[in-house]
């Protein structure tokens, strides 16, 4: 549940396997020949995985529209198959159309996949015109099997998926605390301390991914926007609370390091670690005990009723927020204990939503008045995963659309792959075309295509070795080979979202087992598979370089500008709320920032991959990611803190707040302009000192909880400011003192 949130990958792979088995069973009962069985199985696969809408109603409409499209393409492909040149030309035109219509939305994307894959099947299975009645029956059986599995056997409505995602989030939260407890138990300088910290970083990244998945599914899983707003806020609060607790613990255990996020990018040089405070060493056992108490509050066994000890521990932890019973330790250690109280408060609010319980009327009222519960039309939709790409497209102005560019590139690459594949192996030419198609999926620059290509080649070579080894192991027994084919189908779709290399490995292994079933497996066949795969990658890369190329630098600059603009928007909204403006949506812009940052991570993959020979650009890309991760983390923390901040603790419209907000906004605008024009403007960033001075100011008799909340806001602002300046220095933009 924790490794596969929502069991989305498991259900996808299981649905595909079940649809294929059901289709094969029905067709075998009708005594269909091998080509019909192959066509039915491949059609069942496509009709299951190509439909991606979250709502069952939309899925049903797409399946209903896909059946006639599939029948029409099946007929065209079968009629044209004997005419090799005409079929190849139509195939290339079909590939162009399948990519071009993606601009129309997910349903058009699915129909395009249907068209491409089914035409491919007709060429692969060498279907004949006299088989069209049987082929049509196979298509209808495949679509019927897919619908039966999807809507009856393995039905997963959005509400159920969201509930599973919430439970997975709680489990990942528990994993983070388990890793943090291990870090504290190791203590500073222990041999296994670094390994424990690495595990903590990995689990924190997985927790963030889980939170994003919940936020993305809220729009379809919960039609009530008020309830969705409450859940989104509480998930964010829990994530920020446990991450802040982990950061504070690391600061105590590693006082010589400036730990400000749980990312591992080398944003700045780390000084040599100094020794831990003697008082903090004495308090470490007590800290570990309180961390374990926090872990008990998470579960994961929620069926067990909370006992008196749990209630007592929760109340004790909550008391730390008001400075009750704080230990005699350094201020950093006291902040850790206060943070355990914040986590306990976040967990208390998270509990009912994680279990999918109905909100009470009071909680619904909170959601009704929550910021962003009634979103204005011009605000960005937090659930739109393509918001970052759309913003980049709009900035490109009148230039060619990305879908048109991709369609032209894939069509050109496929044409090259058809010609080269025919010359290399007239019987296996389609492997090159299929490889050229898939390396372009989700790739937007030449570098991304290169990375996907080499990963596919590695997976293919490994799959060839595995296929030959398994074939030698099972001999002529067909049942183990058939079982391995089914396992290959499952593994292919279970690992697609995790590792492109693993997916390619399972595809090739499955092909080897299919040829073993047909008694046609030879080393030469699998060698051709490698050669055709390499040819398809080369053709795709050539098309990306020669046809309307998008350089990696150009793409990363576009996405970087988008990230900075979304950072600026999220920060300005939080500062506006801090200044007293009501009703501004904070969760939406924060989620849009995270989505855009995910796009940047994907775009810089060609630069940070270990095989990249450009070591200086790799270091720069890692530093940019590091500073942006820090700025995004503290912007999210600022939004969450301001959202939960009591009105009495608001900083109001003090002159220093206005000045600092204006300076940070000017810095971001200058940074955006610097990236947009690639360093051709002479604007410099301004360094301010107002936040540091305010952090050292007295409390003025305010309540301790309000004082600490205000200081937390200021620390988030300070880290955002420092990250922006660090990013500017990395991008060679000067930073000067404010006049």
């Amino acid at each position: 549940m924790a490794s596969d949130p929502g069991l989305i990958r498991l259900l996808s792979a299981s649905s595909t396997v079940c649809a294929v088995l059901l289709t094969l069973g029905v067709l075998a009962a009708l005594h269909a020949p091998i080509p019909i069985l192959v066509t039915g199985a491949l059609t069942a696969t496509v009709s299951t995985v190509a439909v991606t809408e979250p709502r069952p109603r939309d899925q049903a409409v797409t399946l209903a529209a896909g059946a006639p499209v599939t029948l029409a393409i099946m007929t065209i492909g079968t009629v044209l198959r004997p005419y090799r040149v005409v079929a190849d030309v139509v195939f290339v035109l079909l590939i162009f159309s399948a990519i071009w219509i993606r601009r129309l939305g997910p349903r058009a994307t699915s129909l395009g996949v249907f068209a491409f894959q089914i035409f491919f099947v007709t060429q692969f299975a060498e279907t004949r015109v006299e088989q069209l009645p049987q082929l049509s029956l196979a298509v209808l059986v495949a679509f019927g099997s897919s619908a039966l599995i999807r809507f009856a056997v393995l039905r997963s409505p959005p509400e159920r998926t969201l509930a599973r995602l919430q439970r997975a989030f709680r489990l990942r939260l528990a994993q983070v605390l388990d890793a943090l407890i291990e870090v504290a138990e190791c203590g500073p300088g222990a041999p296994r301390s670094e390994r424990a910290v690495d595990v903590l970083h990995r689990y924190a990244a997985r927790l963030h991914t889980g939170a994003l998945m919940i936020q993305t599914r809220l729009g379809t899983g919960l039609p009530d926007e008020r309830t969705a707003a409450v859940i989104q806020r509480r998930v964010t609060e829990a994530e920020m609370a446990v991450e802040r607790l982990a950061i504070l613990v690391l600061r105590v255990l590693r006082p010589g390091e400036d730990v400000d996020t749980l990312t591992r990018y080398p944003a700045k040089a780390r000084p040599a670690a100094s020794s831990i405070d003697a008082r903090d060493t004495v308090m470490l056992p007590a800290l570990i005990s309180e961390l374990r108490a926090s872990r008990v509050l998470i579960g994961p066994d929620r069926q067990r009723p909370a006992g008196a000890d749990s209630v007592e521990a929760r109340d004790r932890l909550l008391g730390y927020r008001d400075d009750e019973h704080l230990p005699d330790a350094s201020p950093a250690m006291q902040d850790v204990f206060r943070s355990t109280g914040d986590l306990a408060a976040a967990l208390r609010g998270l509990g009912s939503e994680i279990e999918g319980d109905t909100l009470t009327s009071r909680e619904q009222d909170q959601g009704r008045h929550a910021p962003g519960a009634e979103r204005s039309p011009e605000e960005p939709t937090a659930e739109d995963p393509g918001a970052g790409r759309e913003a980049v497209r709009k900035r490109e102005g009148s230039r060619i659309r990305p879908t048109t560019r991709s369609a032209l590139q894939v069509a050109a690459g496929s044409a090259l792959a058809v010609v080269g594949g025919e010359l290399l192996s007239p019987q296996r030419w389609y492997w090159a075309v299929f490889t050229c198609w898939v390396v372009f999926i989700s790739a937007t620059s030449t570098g991304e295509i290169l990375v996907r290509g080499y990963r596919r080649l590695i997976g293919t070579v490994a799959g060839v070795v595995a296929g030959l080894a398994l074939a030698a192991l099972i001999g002529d027994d067909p049942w183990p080979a058939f079982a391995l084919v089914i396992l290959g189908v499952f593994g292919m779709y279970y690992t697609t979202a995790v590792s492109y290399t693993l997916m390619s490995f399972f595809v090739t292994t499955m092909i080897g087992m299919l040829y073993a079933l047909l008694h046609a497996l030879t080393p030469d066949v699998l060698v051709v598979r490698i050669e055709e795969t390499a040819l398809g990658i080369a053709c795709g890369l050539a098309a990306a370089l020669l046809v309307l190329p998008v350089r990696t630098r150009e793409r990363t600059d576009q996405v970087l500008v988008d990230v900075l603009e979304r950072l600026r928007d999220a920060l300005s909204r939080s500062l506006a709320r801090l200044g007293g403006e009501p009703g501004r949506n904070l969760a939406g812009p924060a989620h849009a920032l995270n989505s855009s940052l995910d796009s940047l991570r994907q775009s810089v993959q060609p630069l940070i991959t270990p095989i990249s020979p450009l070591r200086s650009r790799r270091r720069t890309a890692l530093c940019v990611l590091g500073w942006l991760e820090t700025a995004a983390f503290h912007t999210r923390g600022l939004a969450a803190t301001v959202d939960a901040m009591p009105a009495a603790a608001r900083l109001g419209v003090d002159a220093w707040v206005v000045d600092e907000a204006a300076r940070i906004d000017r810095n971001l605008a200058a940074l955006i302009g610097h990236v947009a024009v690639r360093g051709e403007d002479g604007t410099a960033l301004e360094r301010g000192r107002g936040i540091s001075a305010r952090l050292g100011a007295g409390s003025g008799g305010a309540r301790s909880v309000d004082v600490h909340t205000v200081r937390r806001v200021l620390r988030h602002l300070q880290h955002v400011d420092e990250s922006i300046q660090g990013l500017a220095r990395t991008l060679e933009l000067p930073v000067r003192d404010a006049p």
Side-chain angles (χ1 to χ4, degrees), residues 26 70 72 114 136 181 187 190 193 258 324 367-368 415 453 500 526 549 551 627 643 648 663 703 716 728:
V26 173
T70 300
F114 285 147
S136 300
I181 291 170
S193 176
D258 186 14
E324 294 179 6
R368 184 179 300 112
Y500 191 68
L526 294 183
R551 308 297 180 187
W627 289 119
D643 204 13
R663 180 182 61 82
R703 293 187 309 153
H716 284 310

Side-chain angles (χ1 to χ4, degrees), residues 15-175:
S15 298
T16 305
V17 168
C18 291
V20 169
L21 290 176
L22 182 58
T23 301
L24 289 176
V26 173
L27 294 177
L30 298 175
H31 305 289
I34 292 296
I36 306 303
L37 291 174
V38 172
T39 301
L42 293 177
T43 304
T45 301
V46 175
S47 61
T48 303
V49 302
V51 180
T52 58
E53 289 100 331
R55 292 186 176 90
R57 179 182 57 190
D58 296 332
Q59 296 171 8
V61 172
T62 301
L63 275 176
V69 170
T70 300
L71 290 172
I73 295 298
M74 179 73 71
T75 302
I76 294 172
T78 301
V79 170
L80 294 179
R81 192 195 63 78
Y83 309 99
R84 186 72 270 142
V85 176
V86 178
D88 290 345
V89 172
V90 172
F91 196 14
V92 172
L93 293 176
L94 191 61
I95 289 171
F96 174 86
S97 303
I99 297 293
W100 186 83
I101 65 172
R102 290 186 172 198
R103 68 181 67 189
L104 303 179
R107 180 164 299 143
T109 300
S110 299
L111 295 179
V113 172
F114 285 147
F116 166 79
Q117 295 273 22
I118 297 306
F119 196 97
F120 174 84
V121 167
T122 62
Q123 310 306 300
F124 169 78
E126 299 182 349
T127 56
R128 301 188 303 273
V129 174
E130 58 269 21
Q131 294 175 322
L132 277 176
Q134 291 178 299
L135 291 171
S136 300
L137 176 62
V139 168
L140 295 177
V141 169
F143 271 82
S145 299
S146 177
L148 180 63
I149 297 298
R150 181 187 297 271
F151 300 122
V153 179
L154 293 177
R155 183 173 177 269
S156 183
E159 299 82 4
R160 190 180 304 167
T161 300
L162 178 60
R164 285 196 295 259
L165 283 172
Q166 291 174 283
R167 289 194 291 272
F169 178 81
R170 191 181 196 94
L171 292 173
R172 288 190 168 186
L173 200 63
Q175 288 179 331

Side-chain angles (χ1 to χ4, degrees), residues 404-410 412-413 440 541-550:
T404 304
R405 174 189 286 110
S406 296
L408 291 171
Q409 289 176 334
V410 177
F440 271 95
L541 188 60
L545 288 170
L546 299 176
V547 181
L548 302 173
V550 178

Side-chain angles (χ1 to χ4, degrees), residues 192-214:
R192 59 192 181 99
S193 176
E194 283 300 324
R195 291 194 299 273
V197 172
D198 288 339
V199 172
L200 174 62
H201 283 248
R202 185 167 66 252
Y203 282 153
R206 296 177 69 204
L207 178 69
H208 181 57
T209 302
L212 287 179
M213 294 177 72
I214 291 175

Side-chain angles (χ1 to χ4, degrees), residues 5 161-162 165-166 169 207-222 228-240 243 350 375 380-385 585-596 598 636 639-640:
T161 300
L162 178 60
L165 283 172
Q166 291 174 283
F169 178 81
L207 178 69
H208 181 57
T209 302
L212 287 179
M213 294 177 72
I214 291 175
Q215 293 169 3
T216 302
R217 298 269 176 164
L218 281 175
T220 54
L222 282 176
V230 173
I231 292 179
Q232 184 175 19
R233 186 174 71 251
R234 290 182 175 175
V235 166
T236 302
E237 288 174 354
E239 180 196 359
M240 294 303 303
E243 288 192 17
L350 184 70
R375 186 180 295 124
T381 303
E383 291 80 14
D384 181 11
N585 177 28
L586 302 184
H591 181 53
L593 171 61
N594 290 329
S595 299
S596 184
D598 284 340
R636 287 188 293 121

